[in-house]
Amino acid sequence: MRNFYGVELDTPFMLGTAQYPSPQILTDAFTRSRASVATVSLRREASSDKAGQYFWQLIQNLNVKVLPNTAGCHSVKEAVTTAHMAREIFSTNWIKLEVIGEEDTLHPDVFALVEATRILIEDGFDVFPYTTEDLVVADRLVNLGCKVLMPWGAPIGSGMGLNNVFGLRALRAHFPDIAMVIDAGIGLPSQATQAMELGMDAILLNTAVAKAGDPAQMAEAFACAIYAGQLAEAACPMLPRDMASPSTPVLGKGFLE
């Protein structure tokens, strides 16, 4: 498995920690998912009356790598400030960088994203940028020093899957040495399998598990699906073709006259 800023993960599954019905269900979901990374919002950790302290202890007990994010930030200044606060609280240089530019789709503001990435990399952060499948934006981010890209599959929380398979496939082909994580839009395990079959290195999701009728069971379903996609991609799957091809050879077949 590809490493992420020098860290090799046990599994290619990154799972969010928001919206679960209870702390126990969150814990059960992580246990059954075998996720290697938990994404955590600074806003939740910094909440009042010690709720944030309890939540942080819960996350520490999961025994996974923590990836703080700048969820909800809408400007370069806000994202950079949040990242610095997250580094202080979580004691990690990892940061999932989100800069939102449009409210209805939560579309990344790629111009602000590139600028915030430049500042944070100069400040010693390992940036995981939440971006689109745009090749030019990706090139800017990689040239700044990003060793990971996190293109969306679809808008956050939409469950629509991979809206632009062509674009994601092109992104993977143009940057073969960069770790890529599909982030946002995944709603079904089959969609996660598809993403891994495209050659992605990991899947990050939250809502599809947290809002399921049985989050722990759904987390396990995603774990199986991600593994299946990973195996399939490694096995070099057959390419689609326009014409039929018989699975049983006709050579040597008997003919009746």
Side-chain angles (χ1 to χ4, degrees):
M1 184 185 298
R2 199 188 305 269
N3 68 56
F4 297 82
Y5 290 104
V7 176
E8 187 168 324
L9 303 178
D10 292 332
T11 68
F13 195 178
M14 303 180 180
L15 189 56
T17 56
Q19 306 184 74
Y20 290 85
S22 71
Q24 185 58 56
I25 290 175
L26 184 155
T27 300
D28 291 344
F30 267 85
T31 299
R32 292 180 64 174
S33 74
R34 301 185 297 279
S36 293
V37 174
T39 59
V40 180
S41 170
L42 178 67
R43 284 166 169 75
R44 182 165 184 177
E45 167 59 23
S47 59
S48 60
D49 57 30
K50 297 186 178 181
Q53 295 178 25
Y54 173 76
F55 178 71
W56 178 222
Q57 184 61 55
L58 175 67
I59 299 305
Q60 288 179 306
N61 291 340
L62 296 175
N63 195 31
V64 296
K65 184 77 174 176
V66 174
L67 176 60
N69 65 49
T70 62
C73 292
H74 291 76
S75 69
V76 172
K77 182 178 180 180
E78 186 180 11
V80 169
T81 300
T82 301
H84 278 275
M85 294 171 64
R87 179 160 66 179
E88 183 176 344
I89 290 173
F90 298 110
S91 300
T92 178
N93 286 326
W94 279 20
I95 190 73
K96 178 191 167 187
L97 182 60
E98 296 182 31
V99 188
I100 301 303
E102 203 278 324
E103 286 294 338
D104 290 335
T105 62
L106 300 180
H107 194 295
D109 180 341
V110 294
F111 304 101
L113 177 68
V114 169
E115 177 60 16
T117 296
R118 181 189 65 79
I119 295 170
L120 291 175
I121 286 180
E122 289 178 355
D123 289 343
F125 283 87
D126 297 328
V127 177
F128 292 65
Y130 167 59
T131 184
T132 66
E133 66 277 15
D134 188 285
L135 293 174
V136 177
V137 174
D139 189 58
R140 297 287 191 277
L141 294 168
V142 170
N143 286 337
L144 286 171
C146 286
K147 292 180 171 55
V148 177
L149 295 174
M150 304 186 81
W152 67 349
I156 295 172
S158 68
M160 291 191 291
L162 306 183
N163 275 353
N164 185 359
V165 173
F166 170 81
L168 292 171
R169 185 180 287 115
L171 189 68
R172 176 71 286 174
H174 276 74
F175 301 96
D177 299 323
I178 298 297
M180 288 192 190
V181 184
I182 290 294
D183 176 18
I186 297 294
L188 293 171
S190 57
Q191 296 164 353
T193 299
Q194 182 186 22
M196 295 302 291
E197 287 172 346
L198 290 177
M200 298 300 163
D201 298 293
I203 304 293
L204 192 159
L205 56 88
N206 190 159
T207 307
V209 168
K211 290 297 187 179
D214 186 335
Q217 182 167 309
M218 185 59 77
E220 184 174 353
F222 269 105
C224 294
I226 291 169
Y227 181 57
Q230 185 181 34
L231 283 179
E233 195 277 332
C236 298
M238 64 176 288
L239 297 175
R241 51 188 297 164
D242 294 330
M243 300 294 291
S245 176
S247 56
T248 301
V250 296
L251 185 65
K253 179 181 177 181
F255 291 92
L256 296 178
E257 296 184 359

